[in-house]
Amino acid sequence: MMSKQVMVKFNRGEVDPDALTRFDVDKVNNSSSLMENALPIRLGPMSYRPGFGHLGTIPGPTYLAEFIAATDDAAEVEFTNLQARFWVDDQTVTRETRNVSIVNGTFDTDLSGWTNASSGLANAFWGTGGYAVLQGDGTNEAAIFQTITINDTGQAHGLRLTIVDAPVTLKLGTTVGGSEIFQGRLLPGVHSLLVSPTTNMTIRLSSSAEYVARVDAVVFETAGVMTLPTPVATADLQYIRHTQSADVMFVACRNTKHFRVERRGRRSWSVVDFRFEDGPFNPINSTPITLTPGDLDGDTTLTASAPFFVPGHVGALFKLASSGQTVSASVSSAGAGTGSIRVTGAGVIPRRFNISITGSWSATVTLQRSPDNSAWEDVENYTTNQSKNFNDGLDNSILFYRLHIKTGNYTSGTANLTLVYASGSIDGIGRVTSYTSSTIVQVQVLKDFGDTNPTRDWYEGEWSGAAGYPTAVSLYESRLWFAGETNLWGSVSDAFDSFDGSIEGDSRAIRKTIGFGPVDDVNWLLPTTRLIMGLASDEVSVRSNSFGEVLTPTNINLKSGTTQGSANIAPVKADTRAYFVQRSLLKIFEMAYSVESDAQEGLDTTTLNPSICVPGVKRIAVTRQPETRLWVVLTDGTMRVYLIDYSEDVRGWSRIRHAEGLIEDIVVVPGVQEDRVKVVVNRGGSRYYEKLALRSEALGGNISKTFDSFVHYVSPGTTITGLGHLEGKTVGVWADGRDRGNFAVAGGEVSLGTAWTNVTVGLRYTADYRSNKLVEYVEDIVLTDRKRVTHVGLVLANVWPGSVSCGPDAATLEPMPLVEYGQLLPTTATLATYEEQAVEFNGAYDTDSRVHVRMTGPATVRGLVFRIHDPVNQAG
């Protein structure tokens, strides 16, 4: 009879039953048919996985997003139905009630309690609906302020502001106009700022824009978890796509206007509009419809000559090209004036424009000229009202003109300044703020219109509720990229909120039509060596003409990388490799750039285990430390883990099953020694936020976090409280280096009877390993030969005595012998190492003899040694 000793390593992971007979494939050797709750390690061992620790409750279905300020300064944004919460240092950002109040902070009926500090023609006034309305004059600010008595000096106060329509400048200081506590430009949205004033504080709100900005509320927050509203409903959470630059997260989502999440400190957050003011625009209007602005600037109307507008146009941009150029301004301070006109041509009439100055004023008005609309020289001065034509006689020159009151030249009054030029055109831009009818909308003028005449030369913005919004977002090569609605857009270089396609040169915004299959929804964008775009039909590479060249408006093309087609699930990357879910939801592909083909090529990570992701993938994430692992959440609430080592060509699948819950979502934040994996777990309809313990915390030491939904305590006494999330459960307890057994949770408490120092309480789970078919290990054996494993030896480390058992199957297991080299082992302390080949199987001979290993506590299996007995083949 033939017998052979074999040693197994575990970093091959788990392969599909259909692959277990492929002994010609090297990666099948040493693979397993099951590896659940045992994590394979790159060097070869497998370990009892760390437990998931309880952090808090979750209000509903989620999408978790990491917000990384630094490796040691990370947060998670928790998106739920129409709101966001923020987790910092494993706790939700909360607020405390303070003994402080703001007079009339909600502006219900007037501006009482606030002082109007507006200057020039700017003004602050009350608006119907309960708003403080700020309308500057283009130069001077509309401003209000209020000084607040701070009783809890030095304590953290949550200040909440709701801004509507337009940005507002906020200053917080110890004096009127002071800004030593805070100063910032707040975009429309909701802001929650944490401030710690040491004395009384003045709140000052201002805007210099000619269109109105409205402040809905300025209040101090009360005790509780801080939440901010978002536009994303539960049904669309899975479609959130985000990218981050410094303290700003840009968010795109199917069926939703894109928006920003802003961080102004670890506990100060905002959710605001994505503010775009100069594009992108569709091609010029080709219909007979004309649009007529009601005024050149400020807040006015757009009137269509035929029914055109719909409620979804609120928020849309419209650009109108005028016939001729008119610029005007009412000026009541120095350093202000009109916009510019552009004068071209030759001869008296082509270069003639009109100058008009009216009003009651005392100042010197200067006509100025510039070749580049930037550096200005004086042409003429005026000190009285007048209307005159002007011709510069500079034939064939392209020059810009404006009227301006220079610093030191203003005394009093308001001068109404106007330049009118019959030639050329001005592109004015307005944003729709409200819908009146199919022919009339209200707009705020972002860039002054050139006249108030009807025009057919107009452009509709590409992003609105009527036209649709992007479905994917990414940062790449100093541009912010959006994709969706059959297009790809890149911002102006280094200007992430500008999509101006009229800028000259390579820095201008980029717009590219996508010509690959169904492209209304781009599932994702991912920056690797190239920007990759995931479609239902293709994975498209956004590339320049030559590898390494920067993308520009004239040097961009789209090439298909792979044609697997992607699911609408956010991808991840590790170095230059991208990992995405294939459209079947059952496969995950690794995609990398190939020098040979100059294209992105795909590798199926499930080649040897095509059923590993059944019933379907819900979300993926990646960790880089201590090893590269792909974490896959499935729709059935279990997880898969894919171990990757590129240099050693190590790739192996394993499974994770929570002790009693269904895993619904995942996020990864970086750590110094190990990245942190955090999940949302659904247990009986209640959702909890849990964090995977570090491997170094799950080795059976003085502290060993090897339970799920666990809570760790230091010197808690004999009664453990705070276990409401485990009510009615039987829990395991690890305390001061030992497994202390099981206890029942009642009333959110556990009575231990003994006061230990380091105590971990949670739900027990089991790890199972089952080998593949044991064929290739014995010479001359064939697949159908009857055989059996006679002995199993264990090479273990950091193992709790009795936590490992072996057998031919899950129903026939023998515990690890508590002896080593003939010596009895202690049973009250974790064993640093263990080696013993003394577990004998009593099973029958079988054509499919296997080895099953079960772990119920801390253990690292460095090696599995077994003897196979084949009665058919005779030795000698």
Side-chain angles (χ1 to χ4, degrees), residues 180-400:
E180 64 272 24
I181 298 174
F182 177 87
Q183 178 174 346
R185 181 173 181 262
L186 306 183
L187 292 176
V190 181
H191 308 259
S192 178
L193 310 177
L194 198 69
V195 295
S196 301
T198 58
T199 185
N200 293 345
M201 180 177 70
T202 296
I203 301 173
R204 185 178 188 272
L205 303 162
S206 64
S207 173
S208 61
E210 292 179 279
Y211 47 82
V212 301
R214 294 184 294 165
V215 182
D216 183 53
V218 185
V219 297
F220 282 107
E221 296 172 306
T222 56
V225 176
M226 187 271 285
T227 64
L228 294 175
T230 78
V232 185
T234 298
D236 294 322
L237 290 172
Q238 61 184 313
Y239 305 119
I240 286 177
R241 302 292 178 263
H242 61 92
T243 190
Q244 183 187 338
S245 173
D247 281 334
V248 178
M249 174 188 288
F250 301 95
V251 183
C253 184
R254 191 189 73 174
N255 302 326
T256 301
K257 183 183 184 298
H258 38 338
F259 60 97
R260 297 163 47 127
V261 178
E262 299 178 343
R263 173 189 183 271
R264 289 182 171 83
R266 291 169 63 81
R267 298 177 64 194
S268 294
W269 297 85
S270 305
V271 174
V272 300
D273 291 348
F274 180 77
R275 190 79 179 174
F276 51 100
E277 299 189 350
D278 52 17
F281 291 100
N282 283 308
I284 194 168
N285 167 53
S286 60
T287 74
I289 295 174
T290 63
L291 296 183
T292 305
D295 205 342
L296 299 181
D297 54 29
D299 293 272
T300 186
T301 59
L302 273 185
T303 301
S305 59
F308 169 71
F309 298 116
V310 296
H313 275 123
V314 174
L317 298 181
F318 282 89
K319 179 168 69 173
L320 278 61
S322 64
S323 177
Q325 304 173 60
T326 300
V327 294
S328 65
S330 296
V331 180
S332 58
S333 63
T338 67
S340 61
I341 58 173
R342 184 174 182 267
V343 177
T344 62
V348 174
I349 295 178
R351 299 193 66 86
R352 185 175 62 195
F353 58 89
N354 180 261
I355 301 169
S356 173
I357 305 174
T358 64
S360 177
W361 52 280
S362 176
T364 298
V365 177
T366 302
L367 177 68
Q368 294 183 315
R369 176 168 55 212
S370 171
D372 57 6
N373 208 23
S374 176
W376 298 93
E377 64 178 5
D378 297 347
V379 179
E380 290 183 353
N381 291 323
Y382 315 103
T383 58
T384 60
N385 288 337
Q386 56 193 282
S387 177
K388 59 174 290 189
N389 291 326
F390 181 87
N391 184 292
D392 60 7
L394 301 175
D395 290 355
N396 299 314
S397 298
I398 299 176
L399 296 170
F400 297 86

Side-chain angles (χ1 to χ4, degrees), residues 813-859:
L813 298 174
E814 296 289 339
M816 59 180 280
L818 298 180
V819 295
E820 185 180 36
Y821 306 122
Q823 301 294 317
L824 290 175
L825 296 171
T827 60
T828 59
T830 299
L831 306 177
T833 60
Y834 174 90
E835 294 185 16
E836 184 71 13
Q837 183 166 333
V839 178
E840 183 174 358
F841 289 1
N842 297 317
Y845 287 92
D846 197 323
T847 59
D848 190 15
S849 183
R850 307 218 190 176
V851 175
H852 195 105
V853 179
R854 174 164 291 170
M855 294 177 280
T856 57

